[in-house]
Amino acid sequence: MKILVTGGAGYIGSHTVTELIQEGFQPIIVDNLCNSSVKNLEGIRSVTDTIVQLYNVDCTNEIEFKEVFEKEKDIVGAIHFAAYKSVEESVREPEKYFQNNIGSLKVLLKLMEHFEVDYLIFSSSCTVYGTPDNLPVTEEAPFKKAESPYGETKQQCEEILQSVAIKSISLRYFNPIGSHSSGLIGDCSADKPANLIPIICEVAKGVREKLIVNGNDYNTIDGSCVRDYIHVVDLAKSHVAALKYLIKNPKKGVFNIGTGKGLSVLEAIQCFEKANKTNVNYEIGPRRDGDVEEIFSDNTKVEKLLDWKAQISLEQAMQDAWNWEIKK
Ligand code: NAD
Ligand code: WQD
């Protein structure tokens, strides 16, 4: 089964492409490499012994994107990763985010309708929940005012998906971390890391002097913020599970994709240090604007319906994150 994977050269996309191949699907990548590189494609080739077709096309370019559908006649479904993802940049340049993140989805939906491609898996985010009223957060929790234009694009994309005929599943990822155990596939983003675990890796490597912990006066276990960190390979596998489910149950759905366990920033540092037998230099700084105090996933729905569960331990995720950092 031929599956179109937009953003398939990116961090989560490349891991998903690997899992798709291992599960017998034929992924076709559409990625303009604006935030990745062919390094991940070489990694996919080494790990799976398969050369994946890449179309270096911008998904907002309808004419070029249409040519992909024309060439690859029998596409069964699509997984849409292509988007910009920097929360901080989205605050500075919101229009760029609305154009790319919403624009690419609209073009994809139009082409899917035209070429009668029925199934879509969409990369959403737990950011749609803002600060939830109840924990763990379930899929029924309402959308809160988005913390950023990036978050708003995810909310709007989910709303668009509810309004069209195409059957889709939105996967609301919690915090993806780690890399493929081979150390050959990972986050190839050119930007300076902005997420916690990549920053911890840079500090451990000596590229950065120290980590600033964004506040220790929250109402949490140790005062630092709590998140649900999920290994990217577990996350990748959830796409295959969602795709198989959607093909069997052609209707709309949303699922949380997390581990169900919260970890504080200070616990994450300790876990990294223990897993990698190294020290992370840190100091406590002020709170970060717009940070959610605590969020972690209720996995009841996904475990029941998709028959998927995160399997990889946090220690392993920290080791794999470090392995990518030292190899890259
Ligand atoms: P990434 O930047 O590594 O991957 C995105 C890929 O899409 C990149 O390879 C980029 O080159 C490509 N791309 C972007 N715009 C494009 C366009 N217009 N046309 C073609 N290709 C385009 O990011 P990621 O971390 O792999 O995230 C994948 C998806 O998951 C995104 O939609 C992101 O918003 C979502 N998500 C990510 C996280 C996270 O923490 N990484 C969490 C929740 C949701
Ligand atoms: C995790 C925790 C920080 C850096 C973001 C997006 C979200 C999703 C995932 C895409 C927070 C703390 C961090 C540092 C720190 N992406 N931290 N010092 O904010 O949960 O989510 O990425 O959808 O939409 O908002 O992830 O990794 O930035 O932060 O103390 O130098 O680590 O304050 O509590 P976040 P993160």
Side-chain angles (χ1 to χ4, degrees):
M1 272 191 213
K2 216 181 253 186
I3 307 296
L4 189 87
V5 185
T6 76
Y11 172 48
I12 306 168
S14 55
H15 287 89
T16 303
V17 165
T18 303
E19 294 301 322
L20 283 168
I21 295 168
Q22 285 166 351
E23 288 287 322
F25 291 92
Q26 185 193 346
I28 308 291
I29 297 177
V30 178
D31 196 309
N32 63 359
L33 303 181
C34 66
N35 198 36
S36 192
S37 83
V38 289
K39 185 176 169 182
N40 273 340
L41 301 178
E42 287 154 14
I44 292 168
R45 186 179 174 173
S46 299
V47 169
T48 64
D49 209 15
T50 305
I51 299 173
V52 179
Q53 176 71 49
L54 164 75
Y55 291 91
N56 188 335
V57 163
D58 185 329
C59 298
T60 63
N61 184 330
E62 190 178 329
I63 295 166
E64 286 186 17
F65 202 179
K66 189 174 182 193
E67 286 169 12
V68 177
F69 279 81
E70 278 161 355
K71 239 176 149 184
E72 301 287 345
K73 290 199 170 46
D74 43 355
I75 295 168
V76 173
I79 308 183
H80 185 48
F81 293 103
Y84 296 141
K85 65 166 177 178
S86 160
V87 170
E88 179 264 337
E89 185 184 53
S90 80
V91 174
R92 280 188 283 114
E93 296 182 67
E95 214 32 58
K96 179 175 166 182
Y97 277 68
F98 289 111
Q99 268 170 22
N100 195 42
N101 295 9
I102 297 173
S104 61
L105 178 67
K106 284 187 172 166
V107 172
L108 175 63
L109 288 172
K110 191 171 170 189
L111 294 172
M112 285 180 70
E113 213 161 74
H114 182 79
F115 288 92
E116 296 179 353
V117 177
D118 293 331
Y119 311 111
L120 174 63
I121 308 295
F122 174 68
S123 293
S124 189
S125 167
C126 68
T127 194
V128 299
Y129 297 122
T131 296
D133 294 328
N134 298 304
L135 288 171
V137 66
T138 69
E139 290 84 353
E140 276 69 49
F143 286 2
K144 291 283 191 65
K145 188 184 164 345
E147 312 283 349
S148 67
Y150 166 77
E152 222 177 311
T153 68
K154 292 296 173 192
Q155 292 179 337
Q156 286 190 24
C157 284
E158 282 206 28
E159 278 158 11
I160 291 168
L161 288 173
Q162 291 305 323
S163 70
V164 296
I166 288 165
K167 308 293 186 287
S168 66
I169 288 181
S170 292
L171 298 179
R172 296 175 178 162
Y173 315 155
F174 283 68
N175 291 55
I177 60 167
S179 279
H180 193 268
S181 56
S182 63
L184 299 174
I185 303 169
D187 193 341
C188 294
S189 163
D191 300 340
K192 253 179 101 181
N195 292 116
L196 179 64
I197 306 304
I199 292 175
I200 289 180
C201 286
E202 284 199 347
V203 174
K205 200 180 178 184
V207 177
R208 251 180 227 246
E209 194 203 334
K210 61 187 167 206
L211 166 78
I212 307 292
V213 174
N214 298 328
N216 69 345
D217 57 352
Y218 287 98
N219 185 22
T220 59
I221 177 173
D222 56 24
S224 63
C225 291
V226 169
R227 297 288 183 274
D228 184 337
Y229 297 95
I230 175 167
H231 196 295
V232 68
V233 171
D234 274 333
L235 174 59
K237 288 180 196 287
S238 75
H239 294 77
V240 181
L243 190 60
K244 287 180 178 171
Y245 177 83
L246 185 60
I247 292 170
K248 275 201 194 134
N249 303 275
K251 52 187 186 188
K252 290 177 196 196
V254 292
F255 293 96
N256 285 344
I257 305 292
T259 65
K261 290 187 206 80
L263 195 77
S264 75
V265 175
L266 294 172
E267 287 174 326
I269 296 170
Q270 277 168 18
C271 181
F272 183 92
E273 289 182 327
K274 194 165 162 234
N276 295 307
K277 300 185 179 53
T278 181
N279 285 326
V280 177
N281 184 25
Y282 72 87
E283 73 180 37
I284 307 297
R287 289 182 175 202
R288 185 174 73 176
D289 270 356
D291 241 347
V292 171
E293 179 171 89
E294 181 162 15
I295 187 165
F296 52 95
S297 168
D298 184 313
N299 288 343
T300 313
K301 184 177 171 192
V302 66
E303 286 177 12
K304 188 171 163 211
L305 294 183
L306 296 197
D307 194 24
W308 167 94
K309 196 177 187 329
Q311 308 276 359
I312 307 175
S313 69
L314 268 169
E315 289 71 22
Q316 187 64 51
M318 298 299 184
Q319 286 173 5
D320 291 342
W322 183 227
N323 186 37
W324 171 252
E325 181 68 33
I326 51 184
K327 275 196 176 166
K328 77 176 181 190

